[in-house]
């Protein structure tokens, strides 16, 4: 499967940056990508999460989600993007990843489980956590993809649950906040999730200045296959699910677990 990581610099003007999303998805599709990953909060992003996120929230079939579905169908490519999803009840929306198929259908919805209440931030003041935490996977081009969002990368149990659900690829769509040691932690954590699960990790982030950029793809043995710099960019990587099988045969840690 040819995978594209679209590193964006999203803003708080939803309509204004939709053309940028369309442009990068078009370039990815033109290069043969079968799946395009966009970052967390691709729909709407600010330096600090606040009450405005609830104000712009919409259902997955709202204007932004509909535009993504039409874009996927128009370009014949599956895509995953971070949205601010209106909650059924309460005043806090969900931080949601929506996966659309190449026909525009909704393949999966993942509401962020682990909110970023760390390093002085309080995402949970403004965003609701997933009401029913569970691993979310979907199939595209013969590959099973598991969804996680940013801070989730620090929780190895979610990566393992996604692997147990069949994931060959962990898609970590993120807006990784800058700070001391954060860039090193981003790379180490992504590669660790690959090593311990014998799978690919595709970690796409928002670009500077809100986030660190540095989107990357790690192979099933933790090897770095591709990495972006800090600016908006597009990474293309070919993934082979047979490599996942070979890595898990070489190191059968998943079978050797004793719980």
């Amino acid at each position: 499967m040819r995978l594209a990581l679209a590193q964006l610099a999203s803003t708080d003007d939803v309509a204004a940056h939709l053309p940028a999303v369309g442009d990068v998805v078009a370039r990815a599709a033109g290069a043969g990508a079968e799946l395009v990953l966009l970052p967390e909060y691709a729909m709407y992003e600010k330096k600090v999460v606040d009450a405005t996120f609830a104000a712009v929230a919409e259902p997955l079939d709202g204007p932004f989600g509909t535009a993504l579905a039409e874009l996927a169908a128009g370009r014949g490519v599956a895509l995953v993007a971070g949205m601010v999803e209106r909650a059924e009840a309460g005043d806090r929306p969900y931080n949601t990843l929506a996966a659309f198929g190449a026909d525009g259908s909704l393949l999966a919805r993942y509401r962020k489980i682990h909110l970023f209440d760390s390093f002085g931030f309080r995402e949970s003041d403004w965003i609701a956590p997933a009401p029913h935490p569970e691993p979310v996977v979907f199939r595209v081009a013969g590959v099973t993809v598991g969804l996680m969002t940013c801070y989730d990368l620090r929780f190895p149990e979610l990566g393992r649950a996604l692997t147990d659900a069949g994931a060959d690829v962990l898609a970590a769509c993120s807006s990784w906040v800058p700070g001391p040691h954060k860039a090193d932690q981003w790379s180490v954590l992504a590669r660790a999730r690959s090593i311990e699960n014998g799978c690919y990790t595709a970690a796409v982030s928002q670009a500077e200045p809100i986030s660190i950029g540095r989107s990357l793809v790690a192979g099933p043995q933790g090897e770095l296959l591709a990495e972006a710099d800090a600016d908006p960019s597009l990474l293309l990587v070919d993934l082979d699910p047979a490599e996942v099988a070979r890595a898990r045969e070489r190191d059968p840690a998943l079978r050797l677990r004793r719980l």
Side-chain angles (χ1 to χ4, degrees), residues 120-147:
F121 287 78
R122 287 284 304 174
E123 188 179 22
S124 66
D125 285 348
W126 309 106
I127 302 293
H132 305 292
E134 58 186 6
V136 174
V137 300
F138 66 94
R139 294 276 291 176
V140 60
V143 174
T144 302
V145 180
L147 295 174

Side-chain angles (χ1 to χ4, degrees), residues 15 35 43 59 87 94 106 136 140 154 165-166 168 207 221 232 251:
L35 173 63
M43 171 182 159
Y94 298 116
L106 182 66
V136 174
V140 60
R154 294 181 180 270
D168 307 300
Q221 298 185 88
D251 179 8

Side-chain angles (χ1 to χ4, degrees), residues 33-150:
E34 295 165 280
L35 173 63
V36 183
L37 300 180
L38 288 84
E40 175 187 26
Y41 289 133
M43 171 182 159
Y44 182 84
E45 176 66 307
K46 296 173 69 175
K47 188 174 179 61
V48 177
V49 180
D50 59 18
T52 64
F53 283 69
V56 302
E58 63 180 57
L60 297 193
D61 60 356
F64 191 82
T66 298
L68 291 179
E70 292 175 350
L71 180 60
R75 296 295 177 180
V77 62
L79 63 85
V80 176
M83 296 181 58
V84 187
E85 182 193 5
R86 185 180 301 157
E88 300 89 343
D91 56 358
R92 291 182 300 163
Y94 298 116
N95 180 346
T96 297
L97 297 179
F100 297 94
D103 60 355
S105 63
L106 182 66
L107 297 178
R109 173 178 63 187
Y110 169 68
R111 292 166 172 169
K112 189 176 183 183
I113 294 174
H114 304 101
L115 299 181
F116 188 52
D117 290 356
S118 186
F119 294 90
F121 287 78
R122 287 284 304 174
E123 188 179 22
S124 66
D125 285 348
W126 309 106
I127 302 293
H132 305 292
E134 58 186 6
V136 174
V137 300
F138 66 94
R139 294 276 291 176
V140 60
V143 174
T144 302
V145 180
L147 295 174
M148 57 196 334
T149 304
C150 202

